CSV table of all heavy atoms in Angstrom, one decimal:
chain,number,residue,atom,x,y,z
A,1,SER,N,21.6,-7.0,9.9
A,1,SER,CA,22.1,-5.8,9.3
A,1,SER,C,21.7,-5.7,7.8
A,1,SER,O,21.2,-4.6,7.4
A,1,SER,CB,23.5,-5.6,9.4
A,1,SER,OG,24.0,-5.6,10.8
A,2,LEU,N,21.9,-6.8,7.1
A,2,LEU,CA,21.5,-6.8,5.6
A,2,LEU,C,20.0,-6.6,5.5
A,2,LEU,O,19.5,-6.0,4.6
A,2,LEU,CB,21.9,-8.1,5.0
A,2,LEU,CG,23.5,-8.2,4.6
A,2,LEU,CD1,23.7,-9.7,4.2
A,2,LEU,CD2,23.8,-7.4,3.5
A,3,MET,N,19.3,-7.3,6.4
A,3,MET,CA,17.7,-7.1,6.3
A,3,MET,C,17.3,-5.7,6.7
A,3,MET,O,16.5,-5.1,5.9
A,3,MET,CB,17.1,-8.1,7.3
A,3,MET,CG,17.0,-9.6,6.8
A,3,MET,SD,16.2,-10.6,8.1
A,3,MET,CE,14.6,-10.0,8.1
A,4,VAL,N,17.8,-5.2,7.8
A,4,VAL,CA,17.2,-4.0,8.2
A,4,VAL,C,17.8,-2.6,7.6
A,4,VAL,O,17.1,-1.8,7.0
A,4,VAL,CB,17.4,-3.8,9.7
A,4,VAL,CG1,16.9,-2.4,10.3
A,4,VAL,CG2,16.7,-4.9,10.4
A,5,PHE,N,19.2,-2.6,7.6
A,5,PHE,CA,19.8,-1.3,7.0
A,5,PHE,C,19.7,-1.1,5.5
A,5,PHE,O,19.7,0.0,5.1
A,5,PHE,CB,21.3,-1.3,7.5
A,5,PHE,CG,21.4,-1.2,9.0
A,5,PHE,CD1,22.1,-2.2,9.7
A,5,PHE,CD2,20.9,-0.1,9.7
A,5,PHE,CE1,22.3,-2.1,11.1
A,5,PHE,CE2,21.0,0.0,11.0
A,5,PHE,CZ,21.7,-1.0,11.8
A,6,SER,N,19.6,-2.2,4.8
A,6,SER,CA,19.5,-2.1,3.3
A,6,SER,C,18.1,-1.7,3.0
A,6,SER,O,17.9,-1.1,1.9
A,6,SER,CB,19.8,-3.3,2.6
A,6,SER,OG,19.1,-4.4,3.0
A,7,PHE,N,17.1,-1.9,3.9
A,7,PHE,CA,15.7,-1.7,3.6
A,7,PHE,C,15.3,-0.3,4.1
A,7,PHE,O,14.5,0.4,3.6
A,7,PHE,CB,14.9,-2.7,4.3
A,7,PHE,CG,13.4,-2.4,4.1
A,7,PHE,CD1,12.8,-2.6,2.7
A,7,PHE,CD2,12.5,-2.0,5.0
A,7,PHE,CE1,11.5,-2.4,2.5
A,7,PHE,CE2,11.1,-1.8,4.7
A,7,PHE,CZ,10.6,-2.0,3.5
A,8,LEU,N,16.0,0.3,5.1
A,8,LEU,CA,15.7,1.5,5.8
A,8,LEU,C,15.5,2.7,4.8
A,8,LEU,O,14.5,3.5,4.8
A,8,LEU,CB,16.7,1.8,6.9
A,8,LEU,CG,16.3,1.3,8.3
A,8,LEU,CD1,17.4,1.7,9.3
A,8,LEU,CD2,14.9,2.0,8.8
A,9,PRO,N,16.6,2.9,3.9
A,9,PRO,CA,16.4,4.1,3.0
A,9,PRO,C,15.1,4.1,2.1
A,9,PRO,O,14.6,5.2,1.7
A,9,PRO,CB,17.6,3.9,2.0
A,9,PRO,CG,18.7,3.1,2.9
A,9,PRO,CD,17.8,2.2,3.6
A,10,ALA,N,14.6,2.9,1.9
A,10,ALA,CA,13.4,2.8,1.0
A,10,ALA,C,12.1,2.7,1.8
A,10,ALA,O,11.0,2.6,1.1
A,10,ALA,CB,13.6,1.7,0.0
A,11,SER,N,12.3,2.8,3.0
A,11,SER,CA,11.0,2.4,3.9
A,11,SER,C,10.1,3.6,4.1
A,11,SER,O,9.0,3.4,4.8
A,11,SER,CB,11.5,1.9,5.2
A,11,SER,OG,12.2,2.9,6.0
A,12,ASN,N,10.6,4.8,3.7
A,12,ASN,CA,9.8,6.1,4.1
A,12,ASN,C,9.8,6.5,5.6
A,12,ASN,O,9.1,7.4,5.9
A,12,ASN,CB,8.4,6.0,3.5
A,12,ASN,CG,8.3,6.1,2.0
A,12,ASN,OD1,8.9,6.9,1.4
A,12,ASN,ND2,7.6,5.1,1.4
A,13,LEU,N,10.7,5.8,6.3
A,13,LEU,CA,10.7,6.2,7.8
A,13,LEU,C,11.6,7.3,8.0
A,13,LEU,O,11.3,8.2,8.8
A,13,LEU,CB,11.2,4.9,8.5
A,13,LEU,CG,10.2,3.8,8.7
A,13,LEU,CD1,10.9,2.6,9.4
A,13,LEU,CD2,9.0,4.1,9.5
A,14,LEU,N,12.8,7.3,7.3
A,14,LEU,CA,13.7,8.4,7.5
A,14,LEU,C,13.4,9.6,6.7
A,14,LEU,O,13.4,10.8,7.1
A,14,LEU,CB,15.1,7.9,7.2
A,14,LEU,CG,15.6,6.7,8.0
A,14,LEU,CD1,17.0,6.3,7.5
A,14,LEU,CD2,15.6,7.0,9.5
A,15,VAL,N,13.2,9.4,5.3
A,15,VAL,CA,12.7,10.4,4.4
A,15,VAL,C,11.7,9.9,3.5
A,15,VAL,O,11.6,8.7,3.3
A,15,VAL,CB,13.9,10.9,3.5
A,15,VAL,CG1,15.0,11.7,4.4
A,15,VAL,CG2,14.7,9.8,2.8
A,16,THR,N,10.8,10.8,3.0
A,16,THR,CA,9.8,10.4,2.0
A,16,THR,C,10.5,10.0,0.6
A,16,THR,O,11.0,10.9,0.0
A,16,THR,CB,8.8,11.5,1.8
A,16,THR,OG1,8.2,11.7,3.1
A,16,THR,CG2,7.6,11.0,0.9
A,17,VAL,N,10.4,8.8,0.2
A,17,VAL,CA,11.0,8.4,-1.0
A,17,VAL,C,10.0,8.6,-2.1
A,17,VAL,O,10.3,9.1,-3.2
A,17,VAL,CB,11.4,6.9,-0.9
A,17,VAL,CG1,12.1,6.4,-2.3
A,17,VAL,CG2,12.5,6.7,0.3
A,18,GLY,N,8.8,8.3,-1.9
A,18,GLY,CA,7.7,8.5,-2.9
A,18,GLY,C,7.4,7.5,-3.8
A,18,GLY,O,6.4,7.5,-4.7
A,19,PHE,N,8.1,6.3,-3.8
A,19,PHE,CA,7.8,5.2,-4.7
A,19,PHE,C,7.3,3.9,-3.9
A,19,PHE,O,7.5,3.9,-2.7
A,19,PHE,CB,9.0,4.9,-5.7
A,19,PHE,CG,10.2,4.4,-5.0
A,19,PHE,CD1,10.3,3.2,-4.3
A,19,PHE,CD2,11.4,5.3,-5.1
A,19,PHE,CE1,11.6,2.9,-3.7
A,19,PHE,CE2,12.6,4.9,-4.4
A,19,PHE,CZ,12.7,3.7,-3.8
A,20,VAL,N,6.7,3.1,-4.6
A,20,VAL,CA,6.1,1.8,-4.0
A,20,VAL,C,7.3,0.9,-3.7
A,20,VAL,O,8.3,0.8,-4.5
A,20,VAL,CB,5.2,1.1,-5.0
A,20,VAL,CG1,4.5,0.0,-4.3
A,20,VAL,CG2,4.2,2.2,-5.5
A,21,VAL,N,7.2,0.2,-2.5
A,21,VAL,CA,8.2,-0.8,-2.2
A,21,VAL,C,8.2,-2.0,-3.2
A,21,VAL,O,7.2,-2.7,-3.2
A,21,VAL,CB,8.0,-1.2,-0.8
A,21,VAL,CG1,9.0,-2.3,-0.5
A,21,VAL,CG2,8.2,-0.1,0.2
A,22,ALA,N,9.2,-2.1,-4.0
A,22,ALA,CA,9.1,-3.0,-5.2
A,22,ALA,C,10.1,-4.1,-5.0
A,22,ALA,O,10.9,-4.1,-4.0
A,22,ALA,CB,9.4,-2.2,-6.5
A,23,GLU,N,10.1,-5.1,-5.9
A,23,GLU,CA,11.0,-6.2,-5.7
A,23,GLU,C,12.4,-5.9,-5.7
A,23,GLU,O,13.2,-6.4,-4.9
A,23,GLU,CB,10.7,-7.2,-7.0
A,23,GLU,CG,9.5,-8.0,-6.9
A,23,GLU,CD,8.3,-7.4,-7.7
A,23,GLU,OE1,8.3,-6.1,-7.8
A,23,GLU,OE2,7.4,-8.1,-8.2
A,24,ARG,N,12.7,-4.9,-6.5
A,24,ARG,CA,14.2,-4.5,-6.5
A,24,ARG,C,14.7,-3.9,-5.2
A,24,ARG,O,15.9,-4.0,-4.9
A,24,ARG,CB,14.5,-3.4,-7.7
A,24,ARG,CG,13.7,-2.1,-7.4
A,24,ARG,CD,14.0,-1.1,-8.6
A,24,ARG,NE,13.4,0.2,-8.3
A,24,ARG,CZ,12.1,0.4,-8.5
A,24,ARG,NH1,11.4,-0.5,-9.0
A,24,ARG,NH2,11.6,1.6,-8.3
A,25,ILE,N,13.8,-3.4,-4.4
A,25,ILE,CA,14.2,-2.9,-3.1
A,25,ILE,C,14.4,-4.1,-2.1
A,25,ILE,O,15.0,-3.9,-1.0
A,25,ILE,CB,13.1,-2.0,-2.5
A,25,ILE,CG1,12.8,-0.8,-3.5
A,25,ILE,CG2,13.5,-1.4,-1.2
A,25,ILE,CD1,13.9,-0.1,-3.9
A,26,LEU,N,13.9,-5.2,-2.5
A,26,LEU,CA,13.8,-6.4,-1.5
A,26,LEU,C,15.0,-7.3,-1.8
A,26,LEU,O,15.2,-8.4,-1.0
A,26,LEU,CB,12.5,-7.1,-1.5
A,26,LEU,CG,11.3,-6.2,-1.1
A,26,LEU,CD1,10.0,-6.9,-1.3
A,26,LEU,CD2,11.4,-5.6,0.3
A,27,TYR,N,15.9,-7.1,-2.8
A,27,TYR,CA,16.9,-8.1,-3.1
A,27,TYR,C,17.8,-8.3,-2.0
A,27,TYR,O,18.1,-9.4,-1.5
A,27,TYR,CB,17.6,-7.7,-4.3
A,27,TYR,CG,16.8,-7.8,-5.6
A,27,TYR,CD1,17.1,-6.9,-6.7
A,27,TYR,CD2,15.8,-8.7,-5.8
A,27,TYR,CE1,16.3,-7.0,-7.9
A,27,TYR,CE2,15.1,-8.8,-6.9
A,27,TYR,CZ,15.3,-8.0,-8.0
A,27,TYR,OH,14.6,-8.0,-9.2
A,28,ILE,N,18.4,-7.2,-1.5
A,28,ILE,CA,19.5,-7.3,-0.4
A,28,ILE,C,18.9,-7.7,0.9
A,28,ILE,O,19.4,-8.6,1.6
A,28,ILE,CB,20.3,-6.0,-0.4
A,28,ILE,CG1,21.0,-5.7,-1.7
A,28,ILE,CG2,21.3,-6.1,0.8
A,28,ILE,CD1,21.7,-4.5,-1.8
A,29,PRO,N,17.7,-7.1,1.3
A,29,PRO,CA,17.0,-7.6,2.5
A,29,PRO,C,16.7,-9.1,2.5
A,29,PRO,O,16.8,-9.7,3.5
A,29,PRO,CB,15.7,-6.7,2.6
A,29,PRO,CG,16.0,-5.5,1.9
A,29,PRO,CD,17.0,-5.9,0.8
A,30,SER,N,16.3,-9.5,1.3
A,30,SER,CA,16.0,-11.0,1.1
A,30,SER,C,17.3,-11.9,1.3
A,30,SER,O,17.1,-13.0,2.0
A,30,SER,CB,15.5,-11.2,-0.2
A,30,SER,OG,14.2,-10.6,-0.4
A,31,LEU,N,18.4,-11.3,0.9
A,31,LEU,CA,19.6,-12.1,1.2
A,31,LEU,C,19.9,-12.2,2.7
A,31,LEU,O,20.3,-13.2,3.1
A,31,LEU,CB,20.8,-11.2,0.5
A,31,LEU,CG,22.2,-11.9,0.6
A,31,LEU,CD1,22.3,-13.2,-0.1
A,31,LEU,CD2,23.2,-10.9,-0.1
A,32,GLY,N,19.7,-11.1,3.4
A,32,GLY,CA,19.8,-11.2,4.9
A,32,GLY,C,18.9,-12.1,5.5
A,32,GLY,O,19.3,-12.9,6.3
A,33,PHE,N,17.6,-12.1,5.0
A,33,PHE,CA,16.6,-13.1,5.5
A,33,PHE,C,17.1,-14.5,5.2
A,33,PHE,O,17.0,-15.4,6.2
A,33,PHE,CB,15.3,-12.9,4.9
A,33,PHE,CG,14.2,-13.9,5.2
A,33,PHE,CD1,13.6,-13.9,6.3
A,33,PHE,CD2,13.9,-14.8,4.2
A,33,PHE,CE1,12.7,-14.8,6.7
A,33,PHE,CE2,12.9,-15.8,4.4
A,33,PHE,CZ,12.2,-15.8,5.7
A,34,CYS,N,17.6,-14.9,4.0
A,34,CYS,CA,18.1,-16.2,3.6
A,34,CYS,C,19.2,-16.6,4.5
A,34,CYS,O,19.3,-17.8,5.0
A,34,CYS,CB,18.4,-16.3,2.2
A,34,CYS,SG,17.0,-16.1,1.0
A,35,LEU,N,20.1,-15.7,4.8
A,35,LEU,CA,21.3,-16.0,5.7
A,35,LEU,C,20.8,-16.4,7.1
A,35,LEU,O,21.3,-17.4,7.7
A,35,LEU,CB,22.3,-14.9,5.7
A,35,LEU,CG,23.1,-14.7,4.5
A,35,LEU,CD1,23.9,-13.3,4.5
A,35,LEU,CD2,24.1,-15.8,4.2
A,36,LEU,N,19.8,-15.6,7.5
A,36,LEU,CA,19.3,-15.8,9.0
A,36,LEU,C,18.6,-17.2,9.0
A,36,LEU,O,18.8,-17.9,10.0
A,36,LEU,CB,18.3,-14.7,9.3
A,36,LEU,CG,17.9,-14.6,10.7
A,36,LEU,CD1,19.2,-14.1,11.6
A,36,LEU,CD2,16.8,-13.5,10.9
A,37,VAL,N,17.7,-17.5,8.0
A,37,VAL,CA,17.1,-18.8,8.0
A,37,VAL,C,18.0,-20.0,7.8
A,37,VAL,O,17.9,-21.0,8.6
A,37,VAL,CB,16.0,-18.7,6.8
A,37,VAL,CG1,15.5,-20.2,6.6
A,37,VAL,CG2,14.9,-17.8,7.1
A,38,SER,N,19.1,-19.8,7.0
A,38,SER,CA,20.1,-20.8,6.8
A,38,SER,C,20.8,-21.1,8.2
A,38,SER,O,21.0,-22.2,8.5
A,38,SER,CB,21.1,-20.3,5.7
A,38,SER,OG,22.1,-21.2,5.6
A,39,HIS,N,21.2,-20.0,8.8
A,39,HIS,CA,21.9,-20.1,10.1
A,39,HIS,C,21.0,-20.9,11.2
A,39,HIS,O,21.5,-21.9,11.8
A,39,HIS,CB,22.3,-18.8,10.6
A,39,HIS,CG,23.0,-18.9,11.9
A,39,HIS,ND1,24.2,-19.4,12.1
A,39,HIS,CD2,22.6,-18.5,13.2
A,39,HIS,CE1,24.6,-19.3,13.4
A,39,HIS,NE2,23.6,-18.8,14.1
A,40,GLY,N,19.7,-20.5,11.2
A,40,GLY,CA,18.8,-21.2,12.1
A,40,GLY,C,18.6,-22.6,11.8
A,40,GLY,O,18.5,-23.4,12.8
A,41,LEU,N,18.4,-23.0,10.5
A,41,LEU,CA,18.3,-24.3,10.2
A,41,LEU,C,19.5,-25.2,10.5
A,41,LEU,O,19.4,-26.3,11.0
A,41,LEU,CB,18.0,-24.5,8.7
A,41,LEU,CG,16.7,-24.1,8.2
A,41,LEU,CD1,16.6,-23.9,6.7
A,41,LEU,CD2,15.5,-24.9,8.7
């Protein structure tokens, strides 16, 4: 949920945002990714 839903508003899939996908957009999705990797390990 952290990976997908926090990234969706900035993905240009739902609405045209108009800016480049930047580091600041990936902070919360990255947290979700880290939790997933940690759980798998």
Side-chain angles (χ1 to χ4, degrees):
S1 298
L2 281 171
M3 279 178 67
V4 175
F5 293 119
S6 63
F7 180 69
L8 270 177
S11 66
N12 288 308
L13 290 173
L14 303 177
V15 289
T16 302
V17 180
F19 58 71
V20 186
V21 176
E23 283 95 332
R24 65 183 182 277
I25 305 304
L26 302 176
Y27 290 151
I28 298 174
S30 296
L31 180 63
F33 172 75
C34 289
L35 287 171
L36 194 65
V37 170
S38 171
H39 178 70
L41 287 172

